[in-house]
Amino acid sequence: MSGREASCDPREIASLFLFEKLSAEQLGRLCREGRVERFEAGPVYTEGEPATCFYVMLEGTVVLYRRVGADDVEVSRTSQRGVYAGAMQAYLGDRVPQRYVNSMRVTEPTRFFVLPAQSFADIMQEWFPMAAHLLEGLFFGAKDTQRAIGQRERLLALGSLSAGLTHELNNPAAAAVRATAALRERVGKMRHKLAVIARGPYSREALAELIDIQERTAERVAKAPVLSPLEAADREDELCDWLEDHGIPEGWRIAPVFVQAGLDTDWLEQVAATVAEDILPGAVGWLNYTVETELLMDEIDDSTTRISHLVDAAKQYAQLDRAPHRDADVHELLDSTLLMLSGKIGPGVRVVKEYDRTLPEVPAYPAELNQVWTNLIDNAVSAIGSGGGEGTLTVRTAREGDRLLVEFRDTGPGVPPEIRDRIFDPFFTTKPVGEGTGLGLDISWRIVVNRHHGSLGVESVPGDTRFRVLLPLTAPEEQAGPGPGPEHGAGTDPATTEERT
């Protein structure tokens, strides 16, 4: 909506904090090259249009919006005289795209001092050459610094994940190595026992019965029930007594193995009824080696399966061999991230999953969402650690209208109200020096908002902090740009006296 022009009074312009130190000649030039315009309630300019003017509010109310998907999201509203917006980077020339980075509307009749972008650029270069060079260096230097620290943030996260993954892989790998060594020993003893049986006075029928019992025992091991410690102790006592009554030595060593395999005195009675009394001790020893072998193979199978799951989780987390953008199950992404971070989460943090498994897949960049989950989980764990080291992390998914909610709730001390509006700012961190770069939440914001057209917010009171990620369930007509750039908030808020002077 075009405004109505009015005369420009240098005295009124001089009363604005931006121009209060200018000379009468400079104020005169501003009034000659600029103009005062009055806008009725409605739009002033729209995000993405060529940035042709620099606006300074004289009186009224302005609201700034950013386009998120198909919606305009309000990012600032103010009635403070002297706030400015529009072509604030005109002095950089064609080195940056000269387009409005937000949309501005007024909610009541509002007057602006309007300066053409080229005049603003010329004045900055002529009147404040040193300031222009400093601002230019600050602008591009901040982008370079942010990019470099962003890469460091990712490397730190990768290092932390690698350490956690190495720790998680070491346990099942060591267990598999130990079980393999023990299995080799047991198999050797089984061969020795077989040689003893072959040289003994056992008939062919007795050997056939012994082998049949061995097969049935192996099947029994695969179906062994899980007993409580008290139940296991009682059964061990029963088996020890039975073995002692039947003249079988070292019953105290054999009984725990049989209990673990799910064998009881009824089973041993069946064995005793099947084989002759003189070969019962040999049969029990043979079965003991069989049970130990089966248990060791189960342990190896469990360990290698665990290793395979960890490798799959690592691939899922990194999204190797997958299209960068696809329909993804957020629960798979969350589980892989939680598994990758399990070493860092530690035993003091109880993880609760409240998943709505009926939710559909969402169009996403899965590897980037995993980065968001990593940052939010890491922050939650750090918050719990700062509150004593013990607490609960709850990860919840739900449907909210046409969007999917992923919520991370922790029982830490919370985010103080005075900094809650700053936590998504680049480089802002509450962690000690060396522990945080202040880019984790900034990167998360960019990925969720810029890349996925969603929203990221926080609700916090002591003992209940919730970071809420909302993702659209359907893909927008146009995908986001090539990546989360370094300037998601640059120039979106009108400057105030406190912020800009």
Side-chain angles (χ1 to χ4, degrees):
M1 179 182 298
S2 60
R4 294 203 303 269
E5 293 194 25
S7 60
C8 176
D9 184 353
R11 290 173 297 178
E12 183 179 31
I13 300 302
S15 67
L16 301 175
F17 67 85
L18 273 181
F19 308 128
E20 60 186 0
K21 301 297 184 182
L22 298 184
S23 66
E25 181 182 353
Q26 290 172 322
L27 291 171
R29 178 177 175 181
L30 285 177
C31 276
R32 286 194 304 274
E33 299 191 17
R35 60 190 183 274
V36 172
E37 288 192 41
R38 184 176 186 272
F39 289 80
E40 300 299 325
V44 177
Y45 63 75
T46 302
E47 180 179 346
E49 292 178 346
T52 59
C53 295
F54 177 69
Y55 296 84
V56 186
M57 190 178 75
L58 295 170
E59 59 179 346
T61 302
V62 298
V63 184
L64 293 185
Y65 298 86
R66 283 295 307 272
R67 173 68 64 170
V68 178
D71 302 318
D72 284 326
V73 178
E74 181 178 326
V75 294
S76 180
R77 179 185 294 257
T78 183
S79 298
Q80 182 173 340
R81 191 170 182 271
V83 296
Y84 56 87
M88 293 190 297
Q89 296 168 359
Y91 66 92
L92 294 173
D94 57 5
R95 284 170 291 179
V96 298
Q98 293 297 332
R99 296 185 176 277
Y100 293 120
V101 296
N102 51 47
S103 297
M104 184 165 72
R105 299 176 63 89
V106 295
T107 59
E108 60 179 325
T110 301
R111 293 170 62 241
F112 291 96
F113 172 69
V114 183
L115 189 64
Q118 187 58 54
S119 294
F120 175 59
D122 292 342
I123 285 173
M124 284 291 293
Q125 296 292 345
E126 293 176 26
W127 293 356
F128 315 107
M130 182 176 179
H133 285 302
L134 289 173
L135 288 172
E136 177 183 329
L138 180 64
F139 179 81
F140 290 110
K143 291 180 66 174
D144 293 341
T145 301
Q146 192 166 351
R147 187 179 300 111
I149 296 182
Q151 293 173 349
R152 178 177 177 270
E153 179 91 2
R154 294 183 176 89
L155 287 174
L156 288 174
L158 179 61
S160 177
L161 290 171
S162 299
L165 181 60
T166 301
H167 174 76
E168 292 296 316
L169 285 170
N170 182 66
N171 292 332
V177 170
R178 289 193 302 269
T180 301
L183 179 62
R184 181 176 288 108
E185 179 186 352
R186 297 301 185 276
V187 171
K189 290 183 177 180
M190 283 186 70
R191 290 196 300 266
H192 175 72
K193 196 72 172 179
L194 182 60
V196 172
I197 291 175
R199 291 195 297 268
Y202 302 109
S203 64
R204 180 175 297 178
E205 292 76 13
L207 288 174
E209 291 174 351
L210 195 57
I211 292 173
D212 180 63
I213 292 173
Q214 182 186 39
E215 292 296 328
R216 285 186 284 134
T217 301
E219 294 175 2
R220 188 78 174 252
V221 173
K223 302 174 183 178
V226 178
L227 303 177
S228 68
L230 185 59
E231 290 172 331
D234 290 343
R235 184 171 291 187
E236 285 182 19
D237 291 340
E238 293 176 5
L239 288 175
C240 279
D241 293 341
W242 191 94
L243 293 169
E244 184 178 350
D245 292 342
H246 289 76
I248 298 173
E250 296 188 333
W252 58 269
R253 185 180 62 82
I254 297 174
V257 178
F258 281 4
V259 170
Q260 188 179 356
L263 306 183
D264 53 20
T265 54
D266 292 339
W267 177 257
L268 291 178
E269 288 291 350
Q270 295 179 36
V271 175
T274 302
V275 301
E277 185 177 352
D278 59 329
I279 66 172
L280 180 60
V284 171
W286 174 258
L287 293 178
N288 179 53
Y289 288 137
T290 299
V291 169
E292 288 183 333
T293 301
E294 289 294 322
L295 292 175
L296 288 168
M297 286 193 292
D298 286 345
E299 186 176 348
I300 293 171
D301 179 69
D302 181 69
S303 299
T304 53
T305 300
R306 171 73 174 162
I307 292 172
S308 178
H309 286 167
L310 286 167
V311 172
D312 287 342
K315 291 178 64 178
Q316 172 75 17
Y317 180 86
Q319 292 295 304
L320 297 175
D321 305 324
R322 302 206 179 186
H325 187 272
R326 64 180 180 85
D327 289 343
D329 184 343
V330 294
H331 303 110
E332 290 182 0
L333 305 181
L334 290 167
D335 285 341
S336 67
T337 304
L338 286 168
L339 183 56
M340 292 291 288
L341 290 173
S342 57
K344 186 168 188 177
I345 291 174
V349 179
R350 186 170 71 97
V351 178
V352 177
K353 300 178 184 179
E354 296 179 358
Y355 291 169
D356 180 358
R357 295 287 186 178
T358 65
L359 292 171
E361 294 184 339
V362 295
Y365 295 89
E368 295 181 15
L369 283 184
N370 280 339
Q371 181 68 39
V372 175
W373 311 152
T374 298
N375 292 336
L376 296 181
I377 292 171
D378 181 63
N379 279 354
V381 172
S382 296
I384 293 173
S386 67
E390 293 188 355
T392 301
L393 168 63
T394 302
V395 183
R396 182 171 75 94
T397 62
R399 185 175 191 139
E400 289 197 0
D402 60 349
R403 297 193 291 180
L404 184 148
L405 167 70
V406 182
E407 182 182 80
F408 299 85
R409 185 166 71 244
D410 68 73
T411 57
V415 182
E418 61 269 18
I419 67 170
R420 203 167 296 160
D421 293 337
R422 301 178 58 199
I423 60 174
F424 296 109
D425 291 349
F427 308 112
F428 179 79
T429 180
T430 59
K431 295 179 181 178
V433 176
E435 292 188 17
T437 63
L439 284 178
L441 289 178
D442 173 51
I443 290 172
S444 299
W445 195 97
R446 299 166 193 277
I447 291 173
V448 173
V449 176
N450 292 351
R451 291 286 268 171
H452 292 87
H453 308 286
S455 65
L456 172 59
V458 61
E459 301 171 1
S460 182
V461 295
D464 186 3
T465 297
R466 307 182 184 203
F467 280 88
R468 294 166 51 86
V469 177
L470 286 165
L471 300 170
L473 291 170
T474 55
E477 292 183 3
E478 294 183 5
Q479 292 300 334
E487 60 282 346
H488 82 261
T492 59
D493 297 334
T496 65
T497 305
E498 290 80 6
E499 291 171 336
R500 303 295 185 182
T501 59

